[in-house]
Amino acid sequence: MTIHKIIIPTPFAVGDVNAYLLKGDALTLIDVGPKTEEALVALKAGIEEVGYSLSDVEQVLLTHHHPDHSGWVYAFEQATLLGHAYNQPWLTRDVEFFKFHDEFYLQCLKEEGVPESYFRWVEKMKRPTHFIGNRPLQKFLREGDTLPGHPDFTILETLGHAQSHLSFWSEKDRVLIGGDLVLEKISSNPLIEPPLNRVLKRSKSMLQYNTSLKRIQDLPVEKIYSGHGNEVYNVHELITGRLEKQRERAFKVLDMMKEEEKTIFELTQLLFPNVYEKELGLTLSETIGQIDYLMEEGYIREQKNEKGILLYDHA
Ligand SMILES: [Zn+2]
């Protein structure tokens, strides 16, 4: 098995994104960068560097649907496109789903106690879809599946950062191709995203994310090929540290509720006084994550009224 890393520029704050070319029984590309000209140039150069052309790629796999990873799906027309079912409404610009998406976030903002003057954020939540490719998945990958063309790799559903997030695990080589699950320099944001099935409740992304991290913690992983930045070698140490940090942040949030009840919005203002206005979606997601954690651990309770959800210290 050989894995060839391709570094691709993005117009986003996160910086470059990594794609991986996997040579096994099939030639497989994992992630395709954002839909920009610069990204396509980098992708092409990276593939040619190891003696192939775009048309040699037989399969394209997505680790998740976010725009820095899912752009150039139709540059590989001859390749089969595979990924988690949650990619599909994004890749096909599903009008019904997008409508539900807006309703979902509006409802979230109301419950979080966000003032009406911020409701324009509903539109902004829809990430820059024009950087995402427009071509349907031909096959859905599921937890426990073997990666077609690469029998050493198993599919792990590692939700949290995205509701479409998959990782690819080779027990034999002790290698994980992990998308944005574990990054060397930054911790991934457990974004709140609408469910595929609208009768389901919103995901508790932070709890999902912690479960995904703990799963990796239990595997004998020696190396993670990440979606951004360098490969990660000190996997277990890094994950332990990240989980501890999250717990510390949750207790900081709990402290803020000692005096009186708070809404998610009020907590977000206190936690991110300089950033919340500019990055409302991300900062609310982060606060909700800590709240879901504290609720799960039994530290807080909630009460709904016309102002939204109010959160109290349990003591
Ligand atoms: Zn990413």
Side-chain angles (χ1 to χ4, degrees):
M1 178 205 57
T2 57
I3 300 178
H4 174 64
K5 179 179 181 178
I6 302 169
I7 302 175
I8 302 169
T10 83
F12 308 116
V14 69
D16 295 343
V17 67
N18 302 322
Y20 295 98
L21 193 64
L22 209 58
K23 177 70 190 132
D25 300 336
L27 187 65
T28 301
L29 182 66
I30 301 182
D31 284 346
V32 286
K35 211 168 77 192
T36 65
E37 286 311 313
E38 296 80 359
L40 186 57
V41 170
L43 208 45
K44 203 162 169 273
I47 291 168
E48 284 169 359
E49 204 179 280
V50 279
Y52 297 103
S53 66
L54 294 190
S55 59
D56 292 325
V57 174
E58 296 165 284
Q59 302 185 116
V60 170
L61 257 60
L62 299 179
T63 60
H64 59 300
H65 69 284
H66 293 169
D68 45 338
H69 300 261
S70 62
W72 283 108
V73 284
Y74 67 72
F76 303 90
E77 269 176 294
Q78 74 302 328
T80 314
L81 183 59
L82 308 104
H84 191 284
Y86 192 87
N87 288 288
Q88 200 72 319
W90 297 93
L91 293 170
T92 58
R93 308 291 193 265
D94 184 330
V95 177
E96 278 302 305
F97 177 78
F98 283 173
K99 211 178 128 216
F100 167 59
H101 186 277
D102 290 350
E103 290 162 12
F104 170 84
Y105 279 117
L106 184 62
Q107 183 60 28
C108 286
L109 293 179
K110 285 177 181 166
E111 289 183 352
E112 290 152 12
V114 177
E116 236 178 282
S117 54
Y118 291 92
F119 284 3
R120 63 189 161 81
W121 267 92
V122 166
E123 196 41 48
K124 282 201 186 179
M125 300 287 192
K126 214 185 286 115
R127 324 196 106 238
T129 34
H130 57 281
F131 290 115
I132 297 178
N134 192 349
R135 181 195 158 190
L137 290 181
Q138 283 144 299
K139 194 175 173 240
F140 297 156
L141 295 174
R142 289 182 188 86
E143 166 69 31
D145 286 356
T146 298
L147 194 55
H150 307 273
D152 292 343
F153 276 91
T154 309
I155 313 289
L156 307 182
E157 192 184 63
T158 47
L159 306 185
H161 173 62
Q163 293 306 305
S164 55
H165 202 288
L166 298 178
S167 302
F168 309 105
W169 164 235
S170 167
E171 178 101 40
K172 182 169 155 269
D173 295 299
R174 306 200 161 196
V175 154
L176 184 83
I177 301 174
D180 286 358
L181 178 61
V182 180
L183 306 177
E184 185 200 24
K185 297 263 162 63
I186 45 171
S187 61
S188 289
N189 196 306
L191 296 168
I192 300 299
E193 293 175 332
L196 208 47
N197 181 343
R198 61 177 61 201
V199 302
L200 297 176
K201 283 194 171 164
R202 77 160 170 84
S203 60
K204 298 193 169 176
S205 304
M206 179 75 87
L207 304 183
Q208 286 180 327
Y209 183 62
N210 287 351
T211 303
S212 298
L213 285 181
K214 285 177 193 156
R215 255 190 102 177
I216 304 308
Q217 191 78 309
D218 289 341
L219 297 173
V221 188
E222 287 173 4
K223 184 176 184 177
I224 298 180
Y225 290 92
S226 295
H228 303 273
N230 297 325
E231 289 72 62
V232 176
Y233 293 94
N234 58 337
V235 178
H236 298 91
E237 198 186 309
L238 188 78
I239 292 179
T240 305
R242 293 267 162 90
L243 288 169
E244 267 169 25
K245 254 209 182 112
Q246 184 270 313
R247 196 174 161 81
E248 279 167 25
R249 254 179 267 140
F251 284 114
K252 199 177 148 194
V253 175
L254 186 62
D255 267 347
M256 293 174 175
M257 274 176 272
K258 284 270 183 278
E259 311 274 292
E260 57 174 349
E261 77 275 1
K262 296 266 181 343
T263 64
I264 299 267
F265 181 67
E266 287 164 345
L267 289 166
T268 304
Q269 285 177 304
L270 288 170
L271 275 171
F272 307 100
N274 304 315
V275 216
Y276 81 91
E277 291 207 286
K278 205 171 153 262
E279 288 293 354
L280 191 62
L282 291 177
T283 53
L284 283 172
S285 270
E286 176 68 27
T287 309
I288 291 165
Q290 307 304 348
I291 294 301
D292 284 345
Y293 177 83
L294 290 169
M295 200 84 87
E296 177 85 356
E297 300 283 308
Y299 289 104
I300 56 173
R301 59 206 160 85
E302 63 171 22
Q303 198 190 324
K304 262 186 204 179
N305 69 9
E306 71 286 350
K307 281 169 72 183
I309 296 173
L310 289 172
L311 302 154
Y312 301 84
D313 188 333
H314 206 283

